Amino acid sequence: MPSTDTVILFDCENSTGKFQEFNIDRFQIWNRNHGTQFRKILYITFGKEQPCAEHIKRKTELMKSRFRIGNQTTYTVTATELDYLAGQKSGTVPVHFSGEETNSFTDAFLHIVQDLELYELRTFRMLNIYSLLFTEKAKHYILNEIFSAAEDNCLISDETKQRIKDLSIQERKELESALTMLIDSIQQNHIFRKEIINRAITRPVLVVPELFIRDKILKNELNTALGILGGLPMKTWSEIDHNTPKNILILAYRDQGKYPYHFFPNLLESNFPNAPEVHACLIPPPV
């Protein structure tokens, strides 16, 4: 019989008793000592849990460890790809990034925040807020909330407020200048705002930072900047109904949560099977 160089192990991880000896090292021993020529080893397994990034990561690490698979050799077939192969409609979110992948203003701000150990100012929660400050009124409102000494300021934590109070005059000036230039660069990204306005024509539900829902000033400024008469319904990530039959426009990253308790689903894991149109318009995340 002609020899073959390909072996396919199907549902191998869930049938460990049958396949546990068929690891990469064993195939190499057979090739070296018994004249076999196995070159292509394909392990196929399935996940039973929710298809979140953490579960996929743990499953991949388990497979690599159990069958001694090297790095850069695994591929995850996602639910979206299965839908595509089956010719079915996918409810996952198309993401439209607007702006340069690297931004000198973003880099400068993140560098200062890192040096001053003001890590809260660079969280996704805060970056989401900066990205939607399209008007001067909204910008100065947030800058005042961050740098004000007012006790009723609840935008940032008491720890961050105290750290800002302890800054030298020069450090505070550099921090405020860097944040101002970052927000200005976003305001000057007219393509980003135009993209949102074009998507808003279908009057979708907006997924926005919580602050834009509970703060009337920011909510009104956002509606004004986008030219939305009467406003659009706004929801946070925790409020949005993933089975809604309405159009969805996502304008905020979902905070990933503290490891290992990541929030599920995140932006890329989200699925809105009943929504006619789903889009995410975002500034590229910091690298």
Side-chain angles (χ1 to χ4, degrees), residues 265-277:
N266 64 26
L267 175 62
L268 299 180
E269 297 161 351
S270 294
N271 194 288
F272 298 89
N274 301 320
E277 290 187 15

Side-chain angles (χ1 to χ4, degrees), residues 27-81:
F27 284 114
Q28 290 175 343
I29 291 173
W30 288 339
N31 287 344
R32 185 169 58 250
N33 298 337
H34 300 287
T36 57
Q37 298 180 9
F38 298 124
R39 297 288 183 269
K40 302 173 184 177
I41 316 299
L42 181 62
Y43 297 92
I44 300 177
T45 191
F46 304 92
K48 295 180 180 179
E49 298 174 300
Q50 291 274 21
C52 76
E54 280 302 304
H55 290 161
I56 292 173
K57 179 181 177 181
R58 286 198 294 268
K59 187 79 167 184
T60 301
E61 292 301 320
L62 175 63
M63 288 290 296
K64 290 167 68 176
S65 172
R66 180 165 290 165
F67 295 101
R68 301 174 190 176
I69 302 171
N71 293 327
Q72 311 300 326
T73 56
T74 58
Y75 183 80
T76 301
V77 181
T78 64
T80 304
E81 292 166 319

